[in-house]
């Protein structure tokens, strides 16, 4: 797939196709997290940037269709070369395993917690909770 736009840390577009990464939930673009010293940082933008870098690291990404969500987005597992894009985001602490839908990335999340990567290096609101408050 040729990716034409990256909306946020777990949503992309290929032309008219809207894609949602399977099994993870990244902070929303406007969402902020807090680091250990209590300073806010743009974790939503950081997640979007990380996804952009992963996508741009290869000529094109390959994706497997897992599902279609209620917004008609294609829910896919995507790879930049051999690298599972969603797993990489979770390991960097820039997305959470969306355990409600899949346990596929829970080991990656546990690793990120241990290393205090990204959002785990401070405090944050889970994206699914944050969306309810907006």
């Amino acid at each position: 797939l040729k990716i034409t736009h990256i909306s946020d840390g777990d949503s992309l577009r290929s032309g008219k196709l809207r894609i949602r990464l399977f099994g993870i939930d990244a902070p929303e673009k406007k969402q902020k997290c807090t680091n250990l010293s209590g300073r806010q940082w743009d974790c939503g933008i950081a997640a979007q940037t990380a996804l952009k870098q992963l996508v741009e690291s290869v000529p094109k990404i390959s994706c497997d269709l897992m599902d279609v969500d209620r917004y008609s987005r294609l829910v896919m597992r995507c790879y930049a070369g051999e690298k599972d894009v969603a797993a990489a985001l979770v390991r960097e602490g820039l997305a959470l395993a969306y355990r409600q839908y899949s346990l596929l990335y829970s080991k990656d999340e546990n690793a990120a917690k241990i290393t205090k990567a990204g959002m785990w290096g401070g405090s944050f609101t889970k994206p699914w909770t944050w969306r309810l408050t907006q």
Side-chain angles (χ1 to χ4, degrees):
L1 280 175
K2 185 86 186 108
I3 300 303
T4 52
H5 182 70
I6 291 169
S7 321
D8 59 25
D10 54 30
S11 314
L12 4 140
R13 295 182 87 109
S14 178
K16 287 208 171 9
L17 291 180
R18 293 183 314 143
I19 300 162
R20 172 84 163 75
L21 292 176
F22 172 77
I24 67 165
D25 199 10
E28 298 298 324
K29 215 154 76 173
K30 291 193 185 116
Q31 195 172 341
K32 297 199 185 311
C33 297
T34 307
N35 67 15
L36 276 181
S37 57
R39 189 172 297 134
Q40 285 206 323
W41 61 286
D42 294 316
C43 50
I45 299 286
Q48 180 188 26
T49 303
L51 178 54
K52 198 173 174 158
Q53 286 168 343
L54 281 160
V55 166
E56 288 171 356
S57 71
V58 290
K60 59 180 200 275
I61 66 169
S62 57
C63 298
D64 300 325
L65 183 64
M66 308 294 280
D67 200 2
V68 177
D69 73 8
R70 60 179 183 205
Y71 306 109
S72 311
R73 292 179 301 189
L74 305 176
V75 181
M76 299 180 118
R77 247 185 116 167
C78 294
Y79 301 87
E82 298 290 301
K83 190 182 282 187
D84 181 323
V85 169
L89 290 167
V90 173
R91 275 198 306 272
E92 287 176 43
L94 294 172
L96 301 180
Y98 215 160
R99 294 168 197 249
Q100 182 186 338
Y101 297 101
S102 170
L103 296 176
L104 192 59
Y105 300 110
S106 36
K107 281 196 180 76
D108 299 296
E109 185 180 280
N110 294 342
K113 270 186 209 170
I114 293 163
T115 60
K116 300 206 179 318
M119 299 188 288
W120 299 104
S123 60
F124 62 91
T125 304
K126 293 189 161 97
W128 50 87
T129 308
W130 190 86
R131 282 193 295 274
L132 298 173
T133 65
Q134 297 310 297

